[in-house]
């Protein structure tokens, strides 16, 4: 959902559907037959960055319905994130890697990964998919959530890993909070954790779910969580 009341959804047919609240104006954009897997509004809410399963990223002009930028990352996409200045896009893959894209140049500029080039896990290896990407609002830092029990904090300027925040289970989402001084993580063990990223330590844990957490949303000091059993809870964090 964009800040101007524009909502976007997508389906397996490759289409992107939008509607504006409260006017309930609707629009359908069909630029691919490949399923979109993630999408993010750019800061102006006039463009939408869409990541497709086949590895393609398109930046769509919401007024014209046309793609202004198209980049082929050449790897399946699991998630995407957009930097606050709209200059960078990071795309996650099922194999731990994340591709950093320069929007204006329309190309991939590097691959952020701890593995050697061409890495593919063996079938019996634990999943290490990139589940979520959260750019810091003011620092050259991006939080990448992985299913192999960690969040990686990557420096987008130096293009290297700064820190790793270990978890007891896979991490499905992370969000910056507290004027971006803290990182809140949503873990499959059912626990919400608040991290001081500079000290690399947890400063709070929020419990109350008995099943795997699938999503969360932060609004000021409130966290809304949803788990695999369909239960939604609201927590207050200081």
């Amino acid at each position: 959902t964009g800040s101007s009341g524009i909502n976007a959804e997508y389906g397996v047919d490759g289409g992107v559907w939008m509607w504006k609240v409260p006017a309930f104006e609707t629009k359908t954009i069909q630029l691919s037959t490949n399923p979109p897997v993630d999408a993010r509004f750019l800061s102006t809410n006039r463009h939408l960055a869409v990541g497709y399963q086949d590895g393609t990223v398109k930046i769509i002009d919401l007024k014209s319905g046309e793609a202004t930028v198209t980049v082929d990352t050449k790897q399946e996409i699991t998630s995407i994130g957009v930097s606050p200045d709209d200059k960078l896009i990071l795309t996650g893959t099922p194999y731990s890697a994340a591709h950093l894209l320069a929007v204006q140049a329309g190309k991939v500029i590097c691959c952020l990964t701890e593995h050697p080039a061409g890495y593919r896990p063996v079938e019996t290896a634990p999943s290490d998919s990139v589940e979520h990407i959260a750019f810091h609002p003011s620092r050259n830092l991006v939080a990448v959530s992985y299913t192999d029990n960690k969040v990686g904090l990557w420096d987008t300027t130096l293009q290297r890993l700064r820190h790793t925040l270990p978890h007891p289970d896979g991490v499905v989402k992370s969000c910056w909070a507290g004027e971006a001084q803290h990182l809140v993580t949503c873990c499959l063990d059912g626990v919400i954790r608040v991290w001081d990223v500079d000290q690399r330590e947890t400063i709070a844990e929020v419990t109350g779910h008995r099943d795997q957490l699938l999503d969360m949303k932060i609004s000021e000091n409130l966290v809304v969580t949803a788990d695999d059993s369909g239960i939604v809870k609201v927590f207050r964090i200081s």
Side-chain angles (χ1 to χ4, degrees), residues 11 17 22 30 42 52 55 66 79 110 119 134 149 160 173 177 217 224 226-227 233 238:
W17 305 290
Q30 187 84 42
L42 274 62
Y52 295 85
E66 299 297 325
S79 55
C110 74
Y119 163 79
N149 310 359
R160 65 176 179 85
K173 193 171 186 178
K217 182 73 174 180
V224 181
D227 69 24
K233 294 191 176 187
S238 58

Side-chain angles (χ1 to χ4, degrees), residues 13-144:
D13 65 348
V16 177
W17 305 290
M18 296 179 299
W19 65 96
K20 190 172 184 179
V21 179
F24 290 103
E25 299 172 359
T26 61
K27 188 173 187 176
T28 302
I29 298 175
Q30 187 84 42
L31 296 178
S32 175
T33 57
N34 282 285
V37 293
D38 202 3
R40 293 288 183 270
F41 285 95
L42 274 62
S43 61
T44 61
N45 287 303
R46 297 175 182 173
H47 294 81
L48 182 71
V50 181
Y52 295 85
Q53 192 177 58
D54 68 345
T56 303
V57 175
K58 295 181 183 291
I59 298 181
I60 301 172
D61 184 313
L62 298 182
K63 185 175 182 180
S64 68
E66 299 297 325
T68 58
V69 176
T70 299
V71 181
D72 185 0
T73 67
K74 302 187 185 303
Q75 274 198 323
E76 181 182 346
I77 290 175
T78 56
S79 55
I80 70 169
V82 180
S83 65
D85 60 7
D86 299 335
K87 292 182 179 180
L88 298 173
I89 291 177
L90 191 65
T91 64
T93 73
Y95 313 115
S96 181
H99 294 99
L100 192 63
L101 283 61
V103 173
Q104 188 172 4
K107 66 179 183 179
V108 177
I109 55 178
C110 74
C111 178
L112 305 181
T113 181
E114 298 179 84
H115 297 293
Y119 163 79
R120 290 289 188 279
V122 296
E123 291 185 3
T124 56
S127 171
D128 57 357
S129 170
V130 175
E131 291 297 293
H132 188 262
I133 294 166
F135 278 88
H136 192 282
S138 59
R139 297 163 64 180
N140 297 324
L141 192 66
V142 59
V144 180

